[in-house]
Amino acid sequence: MAPRTLPSPLCSRRIWLHGLAAAAGAALLPRPARAAESAREAPRKRILIVGDSMIAGGVGLFLENGLSKTHGYVVRRKGKSSTGLARPDFFSWPKEAQKQVDEFLPDAAVVMFGGNDVQGLRMPDKGWITWPEPEWPEEYARRVNAFADIVAAGGKPLFWIGMPVMRPEKFHTRVQRVNTIYRAEMAIRPGAQFIDIWRLLADDEGNYTDRLDVDGEPGGKKVRVRAGDGIHLSVAGAHHVEAHVRAIVHAVLSGSSADTPVDVAVAGAPPEVTPAG
């Protein structure tokens, strides 16, 4: 048998260098795990926030900042004071909402109306349905659903924030009625949630209060949560509402509570009522 020829040192070094180069090239290729991880990454969800002075002011501003900066959502906010669904002759929210949807293409919507809607409803023929005619609830519910069809078409997530307890007695009674409509309509709408903030800003008996202990600690200091008119919110009150709403919105959109309907978001919320006035 002929003796086995060993490779020369030069040949061995060349093979080693080729192997090293191949290994370096392989390191530059995308790893399967990393490629698969990138493929699973979804675009950031887009949230449209619309409403009246509550959205134009602190609640909307703090919610926009919290959802975008804390949770990484892409957020667009459109608020206009003294508006709602009652007076399209003054400001047409359906037209504005359609414009916002066409431009922004949201994946979900947050809505807050009501304070300016407890009045007569302007009709297309320039007539009125005055408060509280029997036709009022049916027509207002129709407007709520028509608006929801625009901002959350096809069962996209919709979060409708209810009105808080109010100090003016007449106003207090009327916003209870619109809350009842919001609750009922969102309950039968796929993908919709009614976020009740009544108890969130009420005292232990469910009544109006200017000041609340909002830190959750027993015996904590009470802070002013309402504005001087007994209708709007202070900065602290707006932060209190925003944190509550944002927690629900993020829980649903992130999937952590996708199978848990959020209706009465605050334990012990007052029962549904149909006021006489």
Side-chain angles (χ1 to χ4, degrees), residues 52 54 85 111-119 131 136-137 140-141 144-145 159-166 170-188 193-202 206 226 231 241 262-266 269-275 277:
D52 57 20
M54 296 285 192
L85 304 179
V111 176
M112 190 175 188
F113 289 120
N116 304 299
D117 282 346
V118 288
Q119 60 172 302
W131 181 283
W136 198 99
Y140 191 69
V144 167
N145 277 292
F159 305 89
W160 200 293
I161 307 171
M163 289 283 96
V165 56
M166 301 290 185
K170 182 177 180 180
F171 204 56
H172 172 96
T173 302
R174 290 190 175 194
V175 296
Q176 284 182 303
R177 173 167 288 187
V178 294
N179 275 354
T180 299
I181 293 172
Y182 300 147
R183 185 193 304 275
E185 297 308 317
M186 295 305 111
I188 60 175
Q193 312 283 346
F194 173 66
I195 301 181
D196 193 331
I197 63 170
W198 191 272
R199 277 282 188 182
L200 193 69
L201 292 168
R226 305 304 290 266
I231 296 172
V241 170
V262 180
D263 179 25
V264 182
V266 184
E272 297 180 21
V273 294
T274 305

Side-chain angles (χ1 to χ4, degrees), residues 247-266:
I248 295 172
V249 171
H250 178 59
V252 173
L253 295 185
S254 65
S256 59
S257 66
D259 298 324
T260 304
V262 180
D263 179 25
V264 182
V266 184

Side-chain angles (χ1 to χ4, degrees), residues 8 14 20 50 56 66 97-98 105 117 127 148 155 166 168 183 197 229 254:
S8 68
R14 187 178 295 115
L20 184 62
V50 294
Q98 190 63 65
L105 302 177
D117 282 346
M166 301 290 185
R183 185 193 304 275
I197 63 170
D229 61 5
S254 65

